[in-house]
Amino acid sequence: MFQSFDESARPEQGPPRLAALREDLARDGLTGFVVPRADAHQGEYVAPRDTRLSWLTGFTGSAGFACVLPHIAGVFIDGRYRTQVKGQVDLDHFTPVPWPDLSLAEWLRGQLPNGGIVGFDPWLHTAEEIAKIEEALAGTAITLRAVSNAVDRIWPDQPAPPAGLITPYPEDLAGEAHHAKRTRLAVGLRNAGQTAAVITLADSIAWLLNIRGTDIPRNPVPHGFAILHDTGKLTLYTDPAKCDDALRAHLGDEVTLRPVEAFGPGLRSLTGPVRVDRATAPLWVSQELAEAGVACVWGQDPCIMPKATKTSAEIAATTEAHLRDAAAMVEFLTWFDAQPAGSLTEIDVATALEGFRRASNALRDISFETIAGTGPNGAIMHYRVSRSSNARLEQGHLIVVDSGGQYLDGTTDITRTLPVGDVGEDEKACFTRVLQGMIGVSQLRFPKGLAGRDIDAIARAPLWAAGLDFNHGTGHGVGVYLCVHEGPQRISRVSDVPLQPGMILSNEPGYYREGAFGIRIENLIVVREAPALAGADDRAMYTFDTLTWVPIDRRLILPAMLGSTERAWLNGYHAACLEKIAPRISDAARLWLTQATAPL
């Protein structure tokens, strides 16, 4: 299997490792050290070598950081992980900090009233991140200092850097040759008066060069750094062992391969001005340029917006991947409903679902660790089942199943909440409100120029009406055989990036009652231009096309709560699920699907 159920958190190892880190910091004259959940490529997921935060603290979430001081070690976690962290760290030695409600600078002000020197690794933090912290610390005696990584020094068996083979990605799926992409972006550099751009995001490099890799679990990207020149030529800095003859032939003469060790000298040899993304590139990059006297200008990674707005070929490819994935999901749901109540565990559910995806013979990997949380575990938003936490599905409980697949032609992400036997009216009412929010976003028509923050409230309004809410964004961007969490597009109250045709997003409102149950419903959607309406204003309007075609469990819906347009949307959606998926599944699954998609 792709998914492992071994327990990766080691809370009991935290105290001795914390003590060793504090001794190391004292020898270096440091008051503290920041340990992020990040690597030099600022991706959400990291290779085993870069799991410093979980190695030190036991916390395995995909976002957060720690700050170790002589008298306290704070673990900063957002709303998704405030339940999870309590069971993964030694609370006698590590203190959860509600972030971003409480910022690092504010916390440091309270913990170090007399000042101190807090170290950080400039490879693991962006220039923007450090600048904001330093600005917030202005007027205090607290200083930040770029140092070598203190965790690496005390980690005796730290894994080696990943070295997976880099492979070409088919041009017919990408929709554009990498030569054309490089040429197009180079024009933008010349128009801006810039001689080069430094690219450090792994998925940006993968997209730009039409390549994929295996350096990061669940995300088919290779590690490396790139310098794109205003001529369209590019230098890729990566481990030569990852590059075979097929890759070299694919890249051609305009892409030069260099080892990672040559990245620093390569930066120092440039003639400015050089574009650096202060929000994604390691601070180390701009420090190297400054020390060499190379002019550095801040600007967004030139790949980010083109990568986010998919080509027609990418949308066609991922549409097929989603239909294939939906067929696997329907086979799984057919199997699930046939199991006696109380006979399954969470691991059984995750194992079976992966098996149905594997049966397609097209699955390259799962797109993230399957979340299969029943009862109270369902209230842990990013719950990862382990052998020690594995719970049995009990009569009257819900189970949240959030999963996805990585296929050559697309990346999927779907959540369905399922009942185990009969569930309570309260759970059904909450489920129906979550469904209303998901439908509201799905059928939305909106003016060009709106961002995710303008749409987020639509998913929450039915919950707000009952005094309820959820502590995560409504949606994130999704790649095409790339990262399942892709920026900059998202549906969130903090997102100011205007949505554009071709952007793929998740639509996943939820509700979580700690210690009781969780609910989430998720489809993927793609932004497109809205069809013209008679009598409408002469203005550009957008809407969403749905990519995910799997029934929503009608047993959890209170029909009387739905309005006529909501009911019509749901019945239309289910009719489309039947039409699109029925030809792709077994006879037993087709019978199940026919019943599951009956009009409400």
Side-chain angles (χ1 to χ4, degrees):
M1 285 192 67
F2 288 117
Q3 184 156 344
S4 166
F5 303 106
D6 295 333
E7 181 59 70
S8 56
R10 295 287 183 268
E12 72 281 0
Q13 295 294 330
R17 291 171 179 175
L18 180 62
L21 180 60
R22 282 175 168 148
E23 291 178 7
D24 186 89
L25 297 179
R27 286 192 295 269
D28 272 9
L30 295 174
T31 313
F33 188 73
V34 182
V35 184
R37 208 292 189 165
D39 60 19
H41 310 279
Q42 291 298 312
E44 179 181 8
Y45 297 93
V46 298
R49 176 180 182 78
D50 296 306
T51 56
R52 298 173 181 88
L53 180 62
S54 63
W55 180 84
L56 177 68
T57 68
F59 172 64
T60 62
S62 64
F65 60 94
C67 186
V68 175
L69 302 178
H71 63 290
I72 189 172
V75 181
F76 292 69
I77 34 80
D78 63 30
R80 296 170 295 173
Y81 296 111
R82 289 175 190 169
T83 301
Q84 176 177 326
V85 71
K86 297 174 187 176
Q88 289 193 316
V89 306
D90 185 324
L91 295 174
D92 290 333
H93 293 81
F94 295 95
T95 303
V97 180
W99 169 79
D101 309 45
L102 183 62
S103 70
L104 173 61
E106 186 179 359
W107 184 80
L108 285 172
R109 281 173 173 267
Q111 298 296 333
L112 298 176
N114 299 318
I117 301 171
V118 178
F120 68 94
D121 183 344
W123 276 102
L124 305 182
H125 299 267
T126 67
E128 180 176 82
E129 179 187 359
I130 295 302
K132 286 181 178 179
I133 298 172
E134 290 180 331
E135 181 180 352
L137 290 174
T140 73
I142 303 169
T143 59
L144 299 185
R145 177 183 295 174
V147 296
S148 61
N149 198 288
V151 174
D152 292 355
R153 290 197 296 268
I154 65 165
W155 189 350
D157 55 351
Q158 185 177 23
L165 190 67
I166 303 175
T167 56
Y169 188 67
E171 186 179 323
D172 62 327
L173 297 180
E176 187 178 13
H178 71 83
H179 169 78
K181 292 180 181 180
R182 289 185 286 103
T183 300
R184 178 157 56 98
L185 299 191
V187 171
L189 293 179
R190 293 197 299 272
N191 290 343
Q194 298 162 358
T195 63
V198 180
I199 304 171
T200 60
L201 293 177
D203 64 330
S204 286
I205 295 172
W207 172 86
L208 178 58
L209 294 178
N210 288 345
I211 57 176
R212 297 296 188 266
T214 59
D215 285 340
I216 300 295
R218 318 298 177 234
N219 294 273
V221 295
H223 272 172
F225 304 98
I227 298 174
L228 174 66
H229 300 275
D230 62 359
T231 61
K233 293 184 177 182
L234 181 142
T235 306
L236 175 62
Y237 299 90
T238 191
D239 183 350
K242 300 178 183 181
C243 308
D244 62 10
D245 290 342
L247 178 71
R248 295 175 190 274
H250 165 77
L251 294 177
D253 295 337
E254 292 186 340
V255 176
T256 302
L257 292 170
R258 294 282 185 268
V260 175
E261 295 75 18
F263 183 43
L267 291 172
R268 290 173 172 269
S269 70
L270 295 174
T271 301
V274 175
R275 181 190 299 192
V276 177
D277 190 337
R278 71 194 306 262
T280 64
L283 174 62
W284 180 89
V285 169
S286 52
Q287 289 178 330
E288 283 290 294
L289 293 171
E291 289 178 8
V294 179
C296 170
V297 292
W298 301 126
Q300 189 178 64
D301 174 337
C303 302
I304 283 182
M305 290 306 295
K307 170 167 54 71
T309 50
K310 314 305 180 195
T311 65
S312 58
E314 287 176 308
I315 293 173
T318 201
T319 295
E320 175 59 27
H322 278 78
L323 293 172
R324 183 189 309 116
D325 195 72
M329 281 292 302
V330 169
E331 295 283 2
F332 160 75
L333 293 171
T334 303
W335 169 86
F336 180 86
D337 274 0
Q339 308 308 306
S343 65
L344 296 177
T345 67
E346 294 167 336
I347 288 180
D348 293 334
V349 169
T351 300
L353 178 50
E354 184 173 321
F356 285 112
R357 285 196 167 102
R358 281 180 173 272
S360 70
N361 294 319
L363 186 69
R364 298 294 185 93
D365 198 345
I366 52 177
S367 54
F368 55 95
E369 300 287 302
T370 295
I371 298 169
T374 187
N377 289 342
I380 304 172
M381 295 170 209
H382 280 206
Y383 170 71
R384 176 188 176 275
V385 57
S386 67
R387 300 191 191 284
S388 61
S389 71
N390 187 29
R392 187 164 296 278
L393 280 58
E394 298 180 8
Q395 178 78 23
H397 279 188
L398 298 174
I399 180 169
V400 177
V401 184
D402 187 350
S403 66
Q406 289 284 12
Y407 305 93
L408 186 65
D409 49 0
T411 301
T412 69
D413 184 0
I414 174 175
T415 307
R416 290 295 183 263
T417 301
L418 310 173
V420 183
D422 295 327
V423 301
E425 292 298 297
D426 189 23
E427 287 90 333
K428 291 180 181 179
C430 292
F431 181 91
T432 306
R433 290 185 182 280
V434 171
L435 174 61
Q436 288 177 303
M438 196 274 277
I439 293 174
V441 173
S442 299
Q443 62 186 5
L444 185 65
R445 183 184 178 98
F446 58 97
K448 175 183 178 180
L450 263 61
R453 68 184 178 193
D454 304 309
I455 294 172
D456 182 73
I458 291 168
R460 299 175 188 272
L463 288 163
W464 287 349
L468 311 175
D469 203 355
F470 54 94
N471 291 333
H472 59 74
T474 296
H476 55 83
V478 181
V480 174
Y481 195 46
L482 278 174
C483 298
V484 73
H485 291 163
E486 177 184 271
Q489 73 276 21
R490 52 180 172 157
I491 302 175
S492 164
R493 64 188 68 179
V494 299
S495 178
D496 59 0
V497 177
L499 299 182
Q500 298 182 27
M503 288 181 168
I504 298 174
L505 301 119
S506 67
N507 173 14
E508 51 178 312
Y511 177 67
Y512 312 89
R513 186 166 293 169
E514 185 171 352
F517 62 85
I519 296 165
R520 186 159 61 251
I521 309 171
E522 176 186 19
N523 281 351
L524 296 194
I525 52 180
V526 59
V527 183
R528 68 173 178 91
E529 294 182 0
L533 293 177
D537 292 347
D538 183 19
R539 69 179 72 214
M541 301 287 286
Y542 295 155
T543 188
F544 296 115
D545 276 348
T546 297
L547 292 171
T548 307
W549 300 103
V550 177
I552 295 162
D553 205 302
R554 295 160 61 254
R555 295 167 294 186
L556 291 173
I557 301 171
L558 295 179
M561 291 178 60
L562 297 181
S564 58
T565 58
E566 293 168 336
R567 187 187 297 256
W569 183 92
L570 184 65
N571 286 337
Y573 175 74
H574 279 163
C577 289
L578 180 61
E579 178 187 0
K580 293 174 183 291
I581 307 305
R584 295 171 173 261
I585 53 181
S586 65
D587 290 343
R590 192 174 302 113
L591 176 62
W592 179 93
L593 181 61
T594 301
Q595 296 169 343
T597 57
L600 194 64

